[in-house]
Amino acid sequence: MKNSHSESYKNAGVDVVAGYESVRLMKDAVQRTYNKGVLGEFGGFGGMYQPDLSGIKEPVFVSGTDGVGTKIKLAMLLGKHDTIGIDAVAMCANDIICSGAKPLYFLDYIACGRNVPERIASIVSGVAEGCIRAGCALIGGETAEHPGLMKEDEYDIAGFCTGVVDKSKIIDRSRVKDGDVIIGLASSGVHSNGFSLIRKVFGIVEKSPLDEHIPELGKTLGEELLTPTEIYVKPLLKLIGEVKVKGIANISGGGFFENIPRCLPDGFSAKINKSAFEIPAVFKHIQDKGGIPERDMFNTFNMGIGMVCVVSAKRADSAVEMLEEAGVRAFCIGKVEAGEDGVVLI
């Protein structure tokens, strides 16, 4: 790349040399995620991964892709770019663990108005941290400058994750029964959903609302809202190894009402006890500020529960204990019941 440069392209808004500098700055962070499955060298045209399939009779690969949504606007306003990559990994890895798949590798895609190497490297450092938390390798990615399409200080990030599960161990909703218990895993906050509503509620078009210190939160609004999405892969893999987990749902966009039914068979409903778990103060602050009905809150946000799993009643207490030992707060938040009511809050 020593002789690779183009003044003409640079004058059009694309600086290939800045791209090379971004790659150099991110190299150490990316290589932190490498494990024995990674093949090839950093910077190749395609990421290569050789999975260890020992003990897996019928491997099934599970893939998920997602972005971070308009939460990224807050990162840009605050000039804090080192955590948004954690969110990108979480949005993908938390989806594929719902089928019981262990994440193997991740790739990211960053589009920006102008490539500022230090900013890109900071974003990727967050992606690498997310991959470490999810137990997967960051084996590739792409950074693209889009002058004229995006403003110079704007960027967006999306990702792609692949995992593997033995076919006989795929978690689907077929084994869920009347009387099974729904366990909720605590969220780290708002995670990465509902930010279009949040920006409207607080009038976030510039930085100033984010700098306001909120006494009940003990921090600024921006600090609270940029808290990275919790990654549940390792605690759930531990639980799956010891307890028959019948269903898992990632409480992302659509909140309780959209996502919990996705892990229940047709003809079954979820009765959720709101008093069984703590609703973080940030959600009350959003609700009060925006005058938002409770149902809309539970249909937009995670309300303190970032993931749910379904187990038999006799294993519920031990499942909660295992999850807590694995480092995530967990609660028995409801039960599965026969019926067509969907999600019922009590």
Side-chain angles (χ1 to χ4, degrees), residues 73-258:
K73 181 69 173 179
L74 278 63
M76 291 188 289
L77 287 171
L78 290 169
K80 180 172 173 54
H81 313 290
D82 61 342
T83 60
I84 206 74
I86 300 174
D87 292 292
V89 176
M91 296 297 284
C92 300
N94 283 345
D95 274 351
I96 68 172
I97 188 61
C98 290
S99 60
K102 181 185 186 305
L104 299 174
Y105 57 81
F106 186 87
L107 293 92
D108 63 21
Y109 176 82
I110 301 170
C112 58
R114 181 169 67 92
N115 190 329
V116 180
E118 293 77 13
R119 183 169 61 199
I120 298 299
S122 182
I123 297 167
V124 175
S125 73
V127 177
E129 174 61 26
C131 287
I132 290 170
R133 295 184 187 186
C136 62
L138 177 56
I139 65 169
E142 175 69 15
T143 302
E145 278 187 292
H146 289 167
L149 182 63
M150 305 175 75
K151 295 179 181 179
E152 284 197 356
D153 59 347
E154 290 183 344
Y155 64 89
D156 198 5
I157 181 171
F160 175 94
C161 190
T162 294
V164 65
V165 60
D166 201 323
K167 187 175 181 180
S168 65
K169 297 180 181 179
I170 292 175
I171 295 173
D172 57 27
R173 52 192 186 173
S174 63
R175 299 179 181 88
V176 176
K177 297 180 180 179
D178 188 12
D180 284 343
V181 172
I182 300 170
I183 295 174
L185 283 64
S187 71
S188 55
V190 180
H191 285 183
S192 299
N193 302 103
F195 276 85
S196 293
L197 177 55
I198 287 171
R199 289 186 300 111
K200 179 181 179 181
V201 166
F202 294 103
I204 301 172
V205 293
E206 55 185 25
K207 183 183 176 185
S208 55
L210 299 172
D211 288 333
E212 181 184 357
H213 185 272
I214 311 298
E216 57 265 41
L217 303 181
K219 60 184 72 173
T220 67
L221 181 63
E223 289 171 334
E224 174 65 39
L225 294 177
L226 271 191
T227 301
T229 305
E230 186 74 24
I231 296 177
Y232 298 99
V233 170
K234 293 179 180 179
L236 282 173
L237 285 175
K238 182 178 186 298
L239 180 67
I240 291 166
E242 300 182 44
V243 173
K244 181 182 287 186
V245 177
K246 301 182 179 186
I248 304 177
N250 183 13
I251 309 302
S252 53
F256 281 47
F257 288 99
E258 178 181 324

Side-chain angles (χ1 to χ4, degrees), residues 263-276:
C263 71
L264 304 179
D266 293 342
F268 288 87
S269 300
K271 183 170 286 187
I272 303 297
N273 183 359
K274 294 179 294 181
S275 65

